[in-house]
Amino acid sequence: MIMILTVSCENEIEIEPESVQKTEQQNFVPGEILIKFKDGDKSTSKTKSTVLSMIMGNVVEEINTNAMKTANTGKGVSSGELLLVSSKLGTMEAIALLKNSSEIEYAEPNWIYQHCATSNDTYFTNGSLWGMYGGDTNPANQFGSQAGKAWAAGKTGSSLVYVGVIDEGAQYSHEDLAANFWTNPYDPIDGIDNDGNGYKDDIHGWDFDKNDNSTYDGTQDDHGTHVSGTIGAVGGNGKGVAGVNWNVTIISAKFLGRRGGTTANAIKAVDYFTALKTRLVNPVNIVATNNSWGGGGFSQSLKDAIDRANTADILFIAAAGNSSTNNDVTASYPSGYTSANIIAVASITNTGALSSFSQYGATTVDIGAPGSGIYSTLPNSAGNGYGSYSGTSMATPHVTGACALYASTHPGSNAAAIKSAILSSAVATPSLNGKCVSSGRLNVSGF
């Protein structure tokens, strides 16, 4: 069954500092602030009480930011270094009061992030799956990722390589995804946190939006299902689509709900994968996370989480954004952070042009990949839905899939080596000249 959906949404939100106060209701959670104390978990209760009193605030949550330490001890104990606080004052008023406090390292809004995908129209044999084609494949398209050429050489990925999808949830029972979705062997559904990571029965991942183990909540999880299919829909099974990897293991970290997702939940999602990879017992070989979302302003706390992932050798693949703007001039996050493990992705069309909606940046965007008219998996009641979306959201999982494919043929490669391989193999493309670091488009044919 072919399901073709039409989805209308706003472009990925981009916030300029002077516009923050005017758009508070739209771009961050009103009255919520992320606060990091300079002394971390050594800060006294009196110090914290004084700060909270200053802004008429209450602690909503202590966010554990020491993911690697927690993983190694096997205990989900909060470090208390980062507090999510609810203030009776306006968000920016509370932050202004905290700005000069000697006890505070930083205080920032709890930004809201959004994805963006728009559908337009009509898989590999019928000419629809152009993002997987190459100049020598049949069908052919030189501007595709060249994945078909890699497959022809016997390079179809490995189930020993794991990828995290930080997004909406995904329909893990879909006919083209079920074989490649993670089932946690160390924490079966029994009401007990058997693997001691702080998440009870995280069988396919975790829902940070609702704080439960249900990572698929129905057909509204279309975006997360779509990007998952581009990374790792099963190939060679005579149905639907094929991902860059025919074999891979996908883990879901849902943080985007109906109203988007927050910085606090994005941090927890990133740290979830860092903890899985760095735990001493049964570590998970997570190579990269896919991040087809954006919005809000600079967040030091989110950048810190991405840096922790970098220390754990996990790449953070991020969408450049869909506002047609230059990210060198107007910063876009999270793709615009300077963390070494980020690969920021622009979108190209099936003719090699920069997609009309795609953001770009000679120094802040790394590479282009297929993002216009991309067919992939979509959720439905029968578990066999498919459709075409467009956006840098769709370009990003092509690159995430490429990282997993490279890791499957070069086991043991660290994040820096994989990123270097992705960028150095890019094919020079006129439309991307001066528009991204590599001046080229994704090419996995040599992986």
Side-chain angles (χ1 to χ4, degrees), residues 49 70 79 92 196 236 238 278 291 296 301 309 330 387 398 422:
S49 295
T70 300
S79 67
M92 302 314 291
T278 59
N291 302 274
S301 54
T330 305
H398 282 89
I422 297 291

Side-chain angles (χ1 to χ4, degrees), residues 1-5 123 174-176 226 233 237 239-242 375-380 383-388:
M1 174 181 177
I2 299 175
M3 178 186 288
I4 302 178
L5 300 183
Y123 295 152
H174 191 286
E175 63 177 5
D176 248 353
H226 198 278
N237 62 353
K239 62 182 73 172
V241 297
Y375 270 88
S376 188
T377 47
L378 286 174
N380 67 8
N384 60 356
Y386 301 91
S388 172

Side-chain angles (χ1 to χ4, degrees), residues 106-124:
Y106 59 76
E108 59 191 22
N110 191 14
W111 296 107
I112 296 174
Y113 306 108
Q114 303 285 350
H115 65 69
C116 188
T118 56
S119 177
N120 43 26
D121 49 338
T122 313
Y123 295 152
F124 197 82

Side-chain angles (χ1 to χ4, degrees), residues 113-361:
Y113 306 108
Q114 303 285 350
H115 65 69
C116 188
T118 56
S119 177
N120 43 26
D121 49 338
T122 313
Y123 295 152
F124 197 82
T125 57
N126 70 3
S128 299
L129 209 61
W130 77 268
M132 301 296 170
Y133 299 160
D136 300 325
T137 61
N138 183 22
N141 187 309
Q142 63 175 314
F143 300 110
S145 67
Q146 315 288 315
K149 188 172 182 179
W151 303 339
K155 301 172 182 177
T156 57
S158 169
S159 62
L160 300 179
V161 174
Y162 293 72
V163 170
V165 175
I166 301 176
D167 203 285
E168 295 175 341
Q171 189 177 28
Y172 48 79
S173 62
H174 191 286
E175 63 177 5
D176 248 353
L177 292 175
N180 286 342
F181 240 92
W182 186 54
T183 296
N184 188 349
Y186 306 110
D187 197 0
I189 298 178
D190 60 1
I192 301 171
D193 181 16
N194 294 280
D195 57 4
N197 68 347
Y199 299 99
K200 189 185 300 181
D201 299 348
D202 53 331
I203 192 71
H204 300 298
W206 194 256
D207 182 344
F208 293 92
D209 179 52
K210 294 183 177 179
N211 194 31
D212 61 30
N213 72 336
S214 178
T215 55
Y216 175 65
D217 294 315
T219 55
Q220 68 266 30
D221 286 334
D222 58 326
H223 189 269
T225 302
H226 198 278
V227 301
S228 295
T230 298
I231 295 167
V234 177
N237 62 353
K239 62 182 73 172
V241 297
V244 176
N245 301 268
W246 294 11
N247 304 283
V248 68
T249 301
I250 300 170
I251 306 177
S252 180
K254 178 176 179 175
F255 92 106
L256 292 174
R258 289 187 179 274
R259 294 182 297 275
T262 67
T263 304
N265 288 335
I267 291 166
K268 287 183 280 186
V270 175
D271 280 341
Y272 175 73
F273 290 113
T274 300
L276 283 178
K277 184 166 187 177
T278 59
R279 62 189 185 186
L280 291 179
V281 180
N282 302 316
V284 181
N285 182 32
I286 298 165
V287 170
T289 60
N290 189 88
N291 302 274
S292 291
W293 46 274
F298 179 89
S299 168
Q300 186 63 52
S301 54
L302 179 55
K303 183 183 184 301
D304 288 348
I306 296 169
D307 288 338
R308 290 191 290 273
N310 181 54
T311 300
D313 269 325
I314 301 174
L315 289 160
F316 187 96
I317 319 303
N322 294 346
S323 296
S324 310
T325 52
N326 186 343
N327 290 356
D328 290 357
V329 176
T330 305
S332 181
Y333 301 107
S335 67
Y337 293 121
T338 56
S339 304
N341 55 331
I342 291 177
I343 302 179
V345 187
S347 171
I348 62 170
T349 71
N350 62 1
T351 63
L354 181 71
S355 299
S356 61
F357 53 78
S358 183
Q359 288 168 227
Y360 57 91

Side-chain angles (χ1 to χ4, degrees), residues 20-76:
V20 167
Q21 293 189 9
K22 305 189 284 191
T23 59
E24 176 169 339
Q25 294 293 325
Q26 181 180 4
N27 299 314
F28 49 76
V29 182
E32 287 192 355
I33 305 101
L34 287 160
I35 302 174
K36 186 172 184 182
F37 290 85
K38 288 184 178 178
D39 291 332
D41 55 357
K42 296 180 182 179
S43 298
T44 65
S45 297
K46 182 178 180 180
T47 297
K48 293 178 182 178
S49 295
T50 300
V51 169
L52 292 173
S53 177
M54 185 189 310
I55 62 171
M56 301 174 66
N58 295 298
V59 176
V60 175
E61 183 178 6
E62 294 187 9
I63 298 175
N64 175 22
T65 60
N66 203 344
M68 296 178 72
K69 179 179 178 181
T70 300
N72 288 337
T73 60
K75 299 182 182 297

